[in-house]
Amino acid sequence: MRVLSVSRWLRGAVRAPSGGPGSPQVPQPGRREREVTVDVLDHLEHLALVDFRDSEGVERLQKAIQFADQLHEVNTDGVEPMDSVLEDRCLYLREDDVTEGNCTKELLKNAKEKVEEYFVAPPGNIPLPKLEE
Amino acid sequence: MAAAARGCGGVWCRVWQCGAGGSAPRGQCSVAGSARSAAVPAGKSGLAPWVPVVGLEIHAQISSNSKLFSGSQVQFAAPPNSVVSFFDASLPGTLPVINRRCVEAAVMTGLALNCSINKRSLFDRKHYFYADLPAGYQITQQRVPIAVNGTLSYSLCTDNKMSQMVTKTVRIKQIQLEQDSGKSLHDDTRSQTLVDLNRAGVGLMEVVMEPDMCCGEEAAAAVRELQLILQTLGSSHAVMAEGQLRVDANVSVHHPGEPYGVRTEVKNINSIRFLAKAVDHEIQRQIEELENGGTVLNETRAFDSKLGCTVPMRDKEGKQDYRFMPEPNLPPLILYDTKSLPANMNHQQVVNIDWIHERLPDLPSVKRAKLVEQYGILPEHSFTLLNEDGLTEFFENVVKHTQMKPKKVIGWILNDLLSYLNQHSLTVKESPVSSSILADLLNLLERKEISSTAAKQVLVELWKGEGKTPLEIVKEKKLELIQDQEALEQICQAVIDGQENEVIMMVEGSLCSTAVCGTKKGVKMVFFFSPVDWHLSCRASIGAVKLLLSDYQPFLLLSYFTKCFCRN
Amino acid sequence: MLRASLREVSAALKEGHVSPTELCQRCLALIKSTKFLNAYITVVEETALKQAEESEKRYRTGQPLGVLDGIPVAVKDNFSTAGIETTCASEMLKGYIPPYSATVVQKLLDQGAVLLGKTNLDEFAMGSGSTDGVFGPVRNPWSYSRQYKEKLVPKSHPEDEDSNWVITGGSSGGSAAAVSSFTCFAALGSDTGGSTRNPAAHCGVVGLKPTYGLISRHGLIPLVNSMDVPGILTRCVDDAAVVLGSLAGHDPKDSTTVQDSFKPFELPNLTDVSKLSIGIPKEYHAPGLSSEILALWSKAADLFKNAGANVIEVSLPHTRYSIVCYHVLCTAEVASNMARFDGLEYGHRSDMNKSTESMYAATRREGFNDVVRGRILSGNYFLLKQNYENYFVKAQKVRRLIANDFMKVFRSGVDILLTPTTLSDAVPYTEFIKEDNRTRSAQDDILTQAVNMAGLPAISVPTALSERGLPVGLQFIGRSFQEKQLLTVAKWFEKQVKFPMIELEEVKRHDHGVFQHQKSASFS
């Protein structure tokens, strides 16, 4: 019967191979394992100004990279990267009119610290201390 | 090697050598073939010459009403945080919307610099943390900027007299649109930084000049020309003092035939004069460093105008990685030309490159050529005219209202007017002598109603800005040329009868000063010929008498005085 | 009354059977008594009542603004609302009161809708359970339904009773729960990888993800700018069409909205599906798909086939890479979008004052949860110069392949794709939290994520109850900007399956409604 046939090929459909997305990761044999060293983590933390100053951080990142490595299974020869689905559209141009601004009070309202009409930051960009092992 | 050669037109405009004492004198400017032979200083064999390489990154603030991606106003020196929109302050959820005028300004500039305009350009995010960058990233054009591969021609004088100019070109790598950052004011006493976002989001054009230059003078000249072009186009006011034009220099040195050296970036240059200084100093510093066995670090240095040298900027904690990423909130910027323009397109959404090209004003180089052709002035004069804001208009106005030939007018403009303005740090607009007044004065001179010396005296009076006309001053000071022959003779006699020891008679020449010196019985006589009126003043005590006589009667006078002196 | 659809209650307002203030009060009262659901972060009682009063005035003078006038709605707490705290369920934005409203919020207000409050979510919309926000998890209203309770195996310890509650799915769980528990007639969510469709399916409501570029994102605090869209949660497909009609269209404040003109539409009552071609993508038979849902899926396919539609199997070969692709692109964008949170202009600010950098770092450590920070770190890794080509650009290429898969299928004549929305029905919270956020998201988003990659419209329609008495939804995916066709088919399907109404004690008490939905034979 027609009804059954449809469900049959749904049930017997080709399953995605194991090791696909969602299942625990096993590094592919022969693939160079990307080492997340303390240096790399330190570099990232300085660039991103978030920290994960523990082994959990390294592990997390390592897992994330391993997960992302699956991308290399896909053959993308001759494929152009896609920035956005709107890549064939053109940017909307605005007329050169002054339509915003003049809202100093509103802007400063949400700032936790301010001095007169300025936002306030601590002094300079003093580099964060290096991450120890 | 080719690049180095190109930068100096196949010729090193300067060959840099380090003197024996360590504190190096500046290199000598040599021309053409002699450069190489002059390269190695005697007595210091083994010291190879250095080739400096200078590239520039110039940020020009776009002249527009509102900012690049938001509708807040572009206003210099507004009260803090008063011209800041929600987007400029990076409030979450706000999105960029591009300002059409900024796009047009970039296209104009690209066309003026002979660039290829990319009809499809993209925007990217450049990430770094700083108090004056609220979003933590700047929107710029890193992958595909709006214009690429242009050239800029500029001129240098090869000597101090401005009598020989040589034209050079520098390649323009690209022009990109990007956001300006806010301003942070460091308050060290209270250990805090005040942040004003008024400038955050203002449109910038970054113009990247390839390292085709080789010294501070070239860099300065190139920037000056760019500045003029931008001001002519109106795409940027380009006033360095107001931060509308900012220049960073990339400097390195290497030996001829060897690969380029490590380069440093020099920032914090506030004027064109300082640019030349900063670049030259950095070149010198690098040469010294290398010759003393040191290395040049790939670092950023700031120019300290007080010390006249570059100092390392605060170390940016190791490597910086801007993690460029496409700006997902801005689809590609599409520009059209007449060919590619689709029918029925909303005009407001179209930037037509051809349309802009047709309406470009005359660029400085064209203006200068026209001035030379139209008025018969020298090329170097045309440079000075364009270099000074408003001077060309002034000059042309005077020419329009006077019978004096432009070739003569230019002298008054460049020598008298300009030097006075410079002495008193005034702009042309601030000149107490207007073009019409100067024209009146020159007319008096041209009609031989006064002499040139008298004219200069009138000018001195006019500078006071008391509102008197040239004619009034002439009458007041009795500077009129005496036409009456008899009166002339009487005055001469009076002088001679005074039995002075020294009689100096000056009759100024029209084309040049011709000094005729002679002595007759201990009396020195100096004759200068000119079609200017004469002025008589006696200084009995010193015994010098000046007589200015018109050249209407040169022979008469000569014969007269010959008679006089023969008598004596 | 509260259980009526938006259109029904709108008609009632127009005819004067109920007043906007009464409606508003009832909803507010119901919100109070369903507080245990934790669907709302902020309830704006005062302003809501004021808005209701204004609406009432308009109805009295016979000049309502439209269908939405006087309709209570809720909005996910990652949409900016002027004067109303907007937190994104994060410490970072606790206390942040935006000075402007998102375009979509403003549009709703301009049409007279009554904004009841801001709904709960996963922190910054990162998650698929609505469990990872600082205000705690959202509970699925169906946990307290008769349908679910009667299927529960009685616990040995009565204290464990409460531990049976199931999640809403996410990240727009609060909005889904709000609509599902009848406290509002429509709610806004956001959808980046399925965040509207997933909770819609788990909560038995309609969840619409419009085409990317159709609805303005101005004011929506972004997760992934190139994939985010505002999502619409309603009780039925017709309602979704109404809300869509009031929100769609070019917004000059959002350069990623298309400039094409949009015309709101009414959905026809489709009777003849014989001209339709329904595609069944075989890769959506993903690992972990419960047999129940599989059965429902095939039953749905049969439904179309029996009604005369052309139902064919299709292939979207790169489906299985969409999660990895999303992982890279999402974390990269997150890394970028979160760079603005430094405490200087708004939001949480650490007391650490030694230097700008240390203040930023401390603020971000204190303000973001582990999930957010983890993604920021990974994202920055993929954007490093040495990794950019290998990861980010590579992911962009895979994205194109995924989008092309859909294009090919639609070009071959398929009108609509039919797939499951989730792998299973809603799991109990205690089970859900056993796995970490990233793993969970990776698993749950598999069926919804690829649609965001391609920017296509999709809708989850409640289909039937599972064996545990919980809702299961099925997903329809349409062509870009073909919402009308998509919703028409979804409406037809909705009519066929007659999904049962949730039976909640609290609602029964509050609702002496004129309108009662007939409970007829359901699809399962």
Side-chain angles (χ1 to χ4, degrees), chain B residues 131-345:
Chain B
D132 62 18
L133 195 67
Y137 60 83
Q138 176 201 35
I139 301 180
T140 177
Q141 293 188 298
Q142 189 242 4
R143 290 169 295 158
V144 187
I146 192 166
V148 292
N149 298 336
T151 52
L152 170 69
S153 295
Y154 61 96
S155 294
L156 283 179
C157 34
T158 51
D159 62 17
N160 286 329
K161 292 190 210 139
M162 282 276 274
S163 56
Q164 259 199 301
M165 305 210 82
V166 59
T167 305
K168 293 188 181 278
T169 53
V170 57
R171 290 167 300 157
I172 305 289
K173 177 163 186 241
Q174 65 189 53
I175 300 175
Q176 64 206 52
L177 282 167
E178 58 185 39
Q179 293 174 301
D180 207 345
S181 64
K183 277 211 187 119
S184 14
L185 307 141
H186 299 285
D187 181 0
D188 289 319
T189 51
R190 252 159 288 178
S191 207
Q192 63 188 10
T193 303
L194 301 178
V195 178
D196 175 14
L197 297 177
N198 280 346
R199 200 185 65 178
V202 171
L204 292 177
M205 292 179 287
E206 178 173 332
V207 179
V208 181
M209 289 187 183
E210 298 277 25
D212 295 342
M213 296 161 282
C214 64
C215 58
E217 200 191 341
E218 288 198 348
V223 170
R224 181 64 189 126
E225 187 66 9
L226 176 67
Q227 194 179 36
L228 285 173
I229 292 175
L230 292 172
Q231 289 167 347
T232 305
L233 293 172
S235 56
S236 171
H237 295 308
V239 176
M240 275 183 96
E242 287 182 11
Q244 292 162 341
L245 192 71
R246 285 166 245 156
V247 183
D248 299 332
N250 293 314
V251 180
S252 73
V253 297
H254 64 276
H255 289 304
E258 287 182 9
Y260 281 17
V262 175
R263 66 161 199 233
T264 61
E265 191 189 8
V266 182
K267 289 173 107 76
N268 195 38
I269 299 165
N270 298 328
S271 72
I272 295 190
R273 199 165 53 91
F274 286 156
L275 170 62
K277 268 194 175 173
V279 168
D280 285 341
H281 172 270
E282 180 59 18
I283 291 172
Q284 206 57 52
R285 184 195 75 84
Q286 289 192 9
I287 289 175
E288 273 173 38
E289 185 69 41
L290 292 170
E291 294 204 334
N292 288 331
T295 53
V296 173
L297 297 170
N298 175 221
E299 58 175 349
T300 304
R301 299 176 72 88
F303 179 65
D304 187 321
S305 51
K306 290 199 201 94
L307 298 174
C309 64
T310 62
V311 295
M313 279 180 88
R314 236 201 277 258
D315 180 39
K316 289 189 178 167
E317 347 114 44
K319 285 186 297 152
Q320 176 62 278
D321 188 331
Y322 292 117
R323 289 148 290 144
F324 288 98
M325 186 187 90
E327 170 55 72
N329 293 319
L330 295 172
L333 175 61
I334 306 292
L335 304 172
Y336 302 94
D337 54 26
T338 326
K339 247 198 288 182
S340 67
L341 186 59
N344 305 328
M345 203 106 181

Side-chain angles (χ1 to χ4, degrees), chain B residues 27-206:
Chain B
Q28 266 139 20
C29 213
S30 347
V31 184
S34 59
R36 250 166 262 223
S37 46
V40 181
K44 271 268 179 182
S45 58
L47 259 189
W50 291 97
V51 178
V53 172
V54 180
L56 299 175
E57 275 165 29
I58 299 157
H59 290 90
Q61 251 188 22
I62 298 175
S63 161
S64 61
N65 296 328
S66 57
K67 296 184 182 176
L68 179 57
F69 292 118
S70 65
S72 43
Q73 194 179 2
V74 176
Q75 199 190 345
F76 182 67
N81 291 306
S82 63
V83 287
V84 181
S85 68
F86 300 147
F87 172 77
D88 302 332
S90 81
L91 292 198
T94 51
L95 299 168
V97 184
I98 200 168
N99 180 342
R100 194 206 150 83
R101 157 72 189 159
C102 294
V103 176
E104 290 170 343
V107 172
M108 268 197 283
T109 308
L111 290 172
L113 295 177
N114 307 304
C115 296
S116 315
I117 307 292
N118 281 327
K119 294 220 198 74
R120 182 175 189 268
S121 62
L122 304 172
F123 289 93
D124 306 284
R125 292 183 180 180
K126 176 180 180 182
H127 300 88
Y128 62 95
F129 283 105
Y130 210 79
D132 62 18
L133 195 67
Y137 60 83
Q138 176 201 35
I139 301 180
T140 177
Q141 293 188 298
Q142 189 242 4
R143 290 169 295 158
V144 187
I146 192 166
V148 292
N149 298 336
T151 52
L152 170 69
S153 295
Y154 61 96
S155 294
L156 283 179
C157 34
T158 51
D159 62 17
N160 286 329
K161 292 190 210 139
M162 282 276 274
S163 56
Q164 259 199 301
M165 305 210 82
V166 59
T167 305
K168 293 188 181 278
T169 53
V170 57
R171 290 167 300 157
I172 305 289
K173 177 163 186 241
Q174 65 189 53
I175 300 175
Q176 64 206 52
L177 282 167
E178 58 185 39
Q179 293 174 301
D180 207 345
S181 64
K183 277 211 187 119
S184 14
L185 307 141
H186 299 285
D187 181 0
D188 289 319
T189 51
R190 252 159 288 178
S191 207
Q192 63 188 10
T193 303
L194 301 178
V195 178
D196 175 14
L197 297 177
N198 280 346
R199 200 185 65 178
V202 171
L204 292 177
M205 292 179 287
E206 178 173 332

